[in-house]
């Protein structure tokens, strides 16, 4: 007979294998929750570290670690080093001799777990502390004082196992086993655990909230280096969502939370709907944690009760930001806000900014803005948000100088997970001095926009696309002139290579201004310009534009611009981005492409929890006479 070894399931408390599966399970089966962010590290420096996060070590014991793994497999070596707490904390002392022994024993289990995760079921881990095998140490060991205690870990990985027979039983019967595990593939323990969870998730997606695993076993054959897997599940009855209860609220209305989650009673039960509800509530910004749980049994009416457990975060906040470019100078912003003004996650934000610092020594020539923004989620149903704003601006770019006051109100409606539509009304007064002289404008507008966003990550996308189209019919009351702007843009992302280490990103945009009695009848801030860190890098802000005989910037009636980037991750944190931008602005409503301006350059990205830090250098490929020769841009977030 072949020598066969039965591997324990997740529920078996066996020192070597049980820990392997348990550790992997913790990584896969976390609750639907959002937690507070604490200390983080940038360039080796820790920020926002609280006193609670600094732990004083009592009776410190130092050690020297030797971790030996002779397979030559770099991925395995990295996995072992990442799993070993002794390795990760090798520069930190342990609390007491017993603490070192406990940590060494724990490391053996963690390293065995790492071997199982790498499909090496015949591997062994030997640990010696101060030259003595870990299993022969006394209950309360005492190591010599003075020099660091030597710790030797020797890992013999053994061969890589592959999947043999995969059998589904119970309510999982009838499904294709290769949808979960493919025979001949590496038998990583994490894959086996995920397969069992996927079986349960698929049953739950059929509306069966009480679905559960009844068996998940793996048997290793050391003669053939294969692992046979059996997965059995019980589906339970199909049940709709029942009563939704909210707990943990203090100042937020629990009825609003239940409504905004859209887990309405009577709807079919779905794990995907639970995930969407959790994300929806997280985006309100009022909760530090969110957990959505279904009951362990059905209600008498055959529905499944749901509980939304929340913990409220701090509702008041403030912050600041900055950006820099050699063409536009420094810009600084500050803001204060309240996330729960009246108890239903209404937000109020007061913000201000100063831009073009350093570009001019005249304080009166800087750009200033201030704004008051209000938003009420769920104003016209759970899928809607009401927005209102008041803004004041003093602007002095090269094209014009202006004093502008704007009031706006409108609403956004979520049509689906990817589609939104918004509309509203806007009234703007502007006093503008430009190439056409000094003029006052009082403009009423009705902005309308449709957006489809399928990006996998809003801060640093590697797949999907974002497309938008908007129209802004307007009437300039003083000059009695009708005009409308129409704009559209699309950006797409394609990740390539392992872990999307190479991402191709492209963006295309276009706009048209129709109507009006000549350009002078349209406020200068509503005309089109290109140039700067957000459009065509290498040129200064609004430098790309039609001009008159005196080389004064006029603004245009149409534009087309495009950008292409290759985002290449050199390390986990650092990436480089070669890019090419191009665009044209025309005096006519139809772009004539007679004056295309392009800029090229390279950028550096540094990944942080709040988005990549960006530093770009660009040169214009066909600069204006006497115009910008190069541009350096710094900020947070990808360029698009």
């Amino acid at each position: 007979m072949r020598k066969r070894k039965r591997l324990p399931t997740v529920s078996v408390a066996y020192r070597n294998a049980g820990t392997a599966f348990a550790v992997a399970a913790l990584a896969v089966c976390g609750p639907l929750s959002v937690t507070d962010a604490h200390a983080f590290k940038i360039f080796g420096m820790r920020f926002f570290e609280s006193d609670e996060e600094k732990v004083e070590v009592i009776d410190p014991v130092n050690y020297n670690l030797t971790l030996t793994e002779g397979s030559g497999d770099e991925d395995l070596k990295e996995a072992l080093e990442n799993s070993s707490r002794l390795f990760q904390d090798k520069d930190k002392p342990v609390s007491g001799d017993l603490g070192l022994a406990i940590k060494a024993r724990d490391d053996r289990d963690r390293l065995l777990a790492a071997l199982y995760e790498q499909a090496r079921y015949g591997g062994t881990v030997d640990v010696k502390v101060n030259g003595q095998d870990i299993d022969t140490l006394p209950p309360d060991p005492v190591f010599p004082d003075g020099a660091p205690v030597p710790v030797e870990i020797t890992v013999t990985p053994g061969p890589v196992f592959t999947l043999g027979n995969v059998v589904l039983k119970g309510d999982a019967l009838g499904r294709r086993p290769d949808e979960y595990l493919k025979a001949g593939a590496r038998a990583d323990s994490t894959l086996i655990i995920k397969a069992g969870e996927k079986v349960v998730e698929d049953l739950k997606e059929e509306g069966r909230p009480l679905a559960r695993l009844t068996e998940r076993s793996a048997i290793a054959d050391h003669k053939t280096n294969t692992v046979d897997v059996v997965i059995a599940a019980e589906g339970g009855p199909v049940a709709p969502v029942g009563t939704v209860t909210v707990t943990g609220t203090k100042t937020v209305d629990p009825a609003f939370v239940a409504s905004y989650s859209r887990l309405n009673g009577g709807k079919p039960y779905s794990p995907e709907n639970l995930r969407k509800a959790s994300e929806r509530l997280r985006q309100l910004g009022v909760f530090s944690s969110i957990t959505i749980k279904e009951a362990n049994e059905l209600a008498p009416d055959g529905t499944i009760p749901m509980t939304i457990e929340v913990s409220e975060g701090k509702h008041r906040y403030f912050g600041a930001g900055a950006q820099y470019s050699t063409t536009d100078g420094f810009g600084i912003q500050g803001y204060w806000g309240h996330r729960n003004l009246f108890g239903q996650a209404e937000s109020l934000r007061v913000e201000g900014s100063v831009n073009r610092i350093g570009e001019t020594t005249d304080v009166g020539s800087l750009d200033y803005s201030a704004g008051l923004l209000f938003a009420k989620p769920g104003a016209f149903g759970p899928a809607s948000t009401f927005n209102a704003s008041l803004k004041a601006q003093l602007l002095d770019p090269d094209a014009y100088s202006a004093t502008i006051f704007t009031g706006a109100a409108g609403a956004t409606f979520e049509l689906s997970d990817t589609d939104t539509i918004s509309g509203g009304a806007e009234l703007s007064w502007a006093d503008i001095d430009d190439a056409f002289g000094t003029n006052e404008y009082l403009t009423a507008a009705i902005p309308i926009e449709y957006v489809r966003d399928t990006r996998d990550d809003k801060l640093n996308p590697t797949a999907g696309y974002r497309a938008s189209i908007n129209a802004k019919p307007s009437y300039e009351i003083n000059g009695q002139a009708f005009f409308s702007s129409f704009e559209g843009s699309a950006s797409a992302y394609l990740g390539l290579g392992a872990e999307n280490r190479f991402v191709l990103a492209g963006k295309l945009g276009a706009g048209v201004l129709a109507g009006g009695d000549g350009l002078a009848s349209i406020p200068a801030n509503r005309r089109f310009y290109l140039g700067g860190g957000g459009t065509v890098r290498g040129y200064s802000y609004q430098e790309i534009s039609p001009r008159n005989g005196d080389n004064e910037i006029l603004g245009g009636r149409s534009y087309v611009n495009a950008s292409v980037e290759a985002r290449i991750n050199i390390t986990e944190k650092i990436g480089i981005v070669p890019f090419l931008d191009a665009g044209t602005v025309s005096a006519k409503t139809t772009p004539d492409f007679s004056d295309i301006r392009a800029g090229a350059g390279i950028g550096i990205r540094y990944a942080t929890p709040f988005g990549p830090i960006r530093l770009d250098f660009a040169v214009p490929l066909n600069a204006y006479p006497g115009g910008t020769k190069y541009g350096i841009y710094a900020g947070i977030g990808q360029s698009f």
Side-chain angles (χ1 to χ4, degrees), residues 213-234:
L213 277 181
T214 56
E215 181 183 358
R216 177 173 48 199
S217 61
I219 300 176
D221 187 328
H222 289 260
K223 204 169 185 179
T224 61
N225 296 332
T226 59
V227 175
D228 295 336
V229 179
V230 176
I231 297 175
E234 181 181 287

Side-chain angles (χ1 to χ4, degrees), residues 31-32 274 291-295 305-309:
L32 292 170
L274 300 190
T291 304
I292 302 178
K293 297 178 179 179
E294 61 264 33
M306 308 294 300
T307 300
I308 302 175
E309 298 176 357

Side-chain angles (χ1 to χ4, degrees), residues 389-395 400 402-409 424-432 439-447 472-479 481 483 521-527:
S389 63
L390 293 172
K391 294 183 180 180
Q393 297 172 290
L394 295 176
L395 306 177
Y400 57 86
T403 300
I404 304 171
F405 295 93
T406 305
E426 178 184 291
L427 183 64
S428 175
W429 176 86
D431 183 5
I432 297 176
N439 296 282
E440 284 190 10
Y441 300 89
L442 182 61
T443 308
I446 303 175
K472 199 171 185 180
S474 306
Y475 178 64
E476 204 288 293
I477 298 172
N478 291 341
F483 66 94
S521 67
I522 301 174
N525 60 304
R526 291 289 305 275
R527 303 170 205 155

Side-chain angles (χ1 to χ4, degrees), residues 377-552:
F380 310 106
S384 67
T385 301
F386 171 77
N387 300 285
S389 63
L390 293 172
K391 294 183 180 180
Q393 297 172 290
L394 295 176
L395 306 177
D396 193 19
D398 293 339
Y400 57 86
S401 60
T403 300
I404 304 171
F405 295 93
T406 305
T412 299
F413 297 87
E414 297 176 33
L415 305 179
S416 69
D417 294 336
T418 59
D419 300 83
T420 60
I421 188 170
S422 60
E426 178 184 291
L427 183 64
S428 175
W429 176 86
D431 183 5
I432 297 176
D433 182 10
D434 63 359
F436 298 102
T438 300
N439 296 282
E440 284 190 10
Y441 300 89
L442 182 61
T443 308
I446 303 175
I448 304 169
E449 184 176 43
Y450 167 78
V451 177
R452 166 165 283 192
D453 192 344
T454 69
R455 294 174 297 174
D456 61 341
D457 185 333
K458 302 300 186 285
L459 296 175
N460 191 19
T462 61
Y465 65 91
R466 184 186 188 278
S468 68
I469 184 170
N470 67 71
K472 199 171 185 180
S474 306
Y475 178 64
E476 204 288 293
I477 298 172
N478 291 341
Q480 299 183 349
F482 283 100
F483 66 94
S484 297
S485 61
F486 304 90
E487 293 183 82
S489 68
S491 56
Y493 311 87
L494 176 63
L496 303 170
E499 299 180 350
N500 294 319
R501 295 185 71 88
F502 184 94
V503 178
L504 285 175
K507 182 180 180 180
L508 179 65
V512 173
L513 261 175
D517 185 17
L519 273 179
S521 67
I522 301 174
N525 60 304
R526 291 289 305 275
R527 303 170 205 155
F528 294 136
Y529 313 84
L530 293 176
T535 56
V536 183
R537 285 162 286 189
Y539 297 83
S540 63
Y541 178 63
Q542 296 187 346
E543 185 178 5
I544 302 174
S545 165
R547 304 175 182 226
N548 61 16
D550 295 326
N551 200 34
E552 293 177 306

Side-chain angles (χ1 to χ4, degrees), residues 34 36 252 256 260 278-290 311-317 338-340 345-347 377:
V34 179
D36 278 329
V252 182
F256 165 77
Y260 197 76
S278 180
E279 176 64 16
R280 194 174 295 122
L281 293 173
R282 184 191 66 80
Q283 290 178 350
L284 290 174
V286 295
F287 302 119
S288 59
S289 68
I290 302 164
S311 177
E312 293 187 20
K314 295 180 179 179
H315 297 323
R316 293 176 177 82
Y317 66 94
H338 196 300
R339 297 187 176 97
N340 188 42
E346 302 92 346
S347 67

